[in-house]
Amino acid sequence: MKLKRTIIYLLLIYAPIVTFAQKEANGTGKFSLSPAFELLRSTHGNLFYAPSLKTNYLFANGLEPGFGFEYATTPLHHDNGYVLYKLKFLPVYGNLKYNFKTSHQIKPYVESSLGISFNKYDIAVDATPDIKSKVKEQGFYVYTGFGTKYSITPGLNTFLAVGFKGYKMSTNDLDINPHGLSFMLGFTFL
């Protein structure tokens, strides 16, 4: 219920901003706004739930640079001999999307995002799960994937995407590094 309310608020706040920005572009390109619901299935088997919001600028050649953020949470996660509680991740990232040219209502695309994730959780060792300490850290955020847009009207698309996501990518295999397969479902307002 709280997630649904958050998405509705985001739509109400940002729809007028996108409309204004589109009028300012004078037909040279289009700004878009894409609220979505994301689900990450981590390699350790649990799920991270996240509303997200991206804004991009669509060029005539199919490129769409932009930026976005999401708010991912899960109550419990096991990683590298630790038990993590009340995980909250807030990645802020730059996004680049490429839309393949097609005249059909269904349009495929690929995208990639890089940024920083602000992470907060309680941590305990597997052997003593009741002794917790609080952790606040930042990490390198990565997403790459592909998807399809379905044109409902000229100014409204729905999309479905699948990709790989990591909230704290690192070369150290002992770092706490939630990552896995990501699914995304949302709308794009042009």
Side-chain angles (χ1 to χ4, degrees), residues 5-23:
R5 192 172 35 209
T6 302
I7 291 172
I8 290 170
Y9 289 148
L10 289 173
L11 291 174
L12 291 173
I13 291 169
Y14 287 103
I17 295 170
V18 171
T19 303
F20 173 76
Q22 191 173 0
K23 287 179 184 176

Side-chain angles (χ1 to χ4, degrees), residues 163-185:
F164 172 83
K165 183 187 297 185
Y167 291 109
K168 186 182 177 198
M169 298 308 292
S170 166
T171 56
N172 183 351
D173 64 346
L174 298 178
D175 277 349
I176 302 299
N177 176 15
H179 60 278
L181 191 59
S182 176
F183 303 93
M184 192 181 323
L185 175 64

Side-chain angles (χ1 to χ4, degrees), residues 32-161:
S32 68
L33 182 73
S34 300
F37 175 76
E38 301 189 30
L39 177 69
L40 172 79
R41 171 123 176 26
S42 85
T43 54
H44 294 280
N46 63 310
L47 301 174
F48 289 76
Y49 303 94
S52 68
L53 185 65
K54 281 185 267 198
T55 185
N56 292 70
Y57 186 80
L58 176 60
F59 289 101
N61 63 3
L63 283 177
E64 258 187 88
F67 63 92
F69 65 91
E70 76 177 69
Y71 179 69
T73 64
T74 193
L76 183 68
H77 180 69
H78 293 271
D79 199 338
N80 285 342
Y82 294 101
V83 182
L84 311 175
Y85 300 95
K86 301 181 208 169
L87 292 91
K88 296 176 179 137
F89 298 111
L90 179 66
V92 179
Y93 52 86
N95 176 259
L96 182 61
K97 199 181 285 188
Y98 178 75
N99 299 286
F100 294 99
K101 301 231 185 260
T102 178
S103 60
H104 305 293
Q105 270 187 303
I106 297 176
K107 297 177 175 122
Y109 66 88
V110 294
E111 75 177 310
S112 183
S113 300
L114 299 174
I116 187 167
S117 180
F118 300 95
N119 309 330
K120 182 179 172 184
Y121 51 88
D122 295 342
I123 189 169
V125 179
D126 270 339
T128 56
D130 294 334
I131 303 172
K132 302 175 191 174
S133 60
K134 295 193 179 299
V135 174
K136 286 185 183 180
E137 62 185 4
Q138 292 85 38
F140 182 57
Y141 173 81
V142 174
Y143 171 79
T144 187
F146 62 92
T148 57
K149 294 180 186 176
Y150 177 77
S151 180
I152 298 171
T153 68
L156 177 64
N157 295 312
T158 186
F159 64 88
L160 179 64

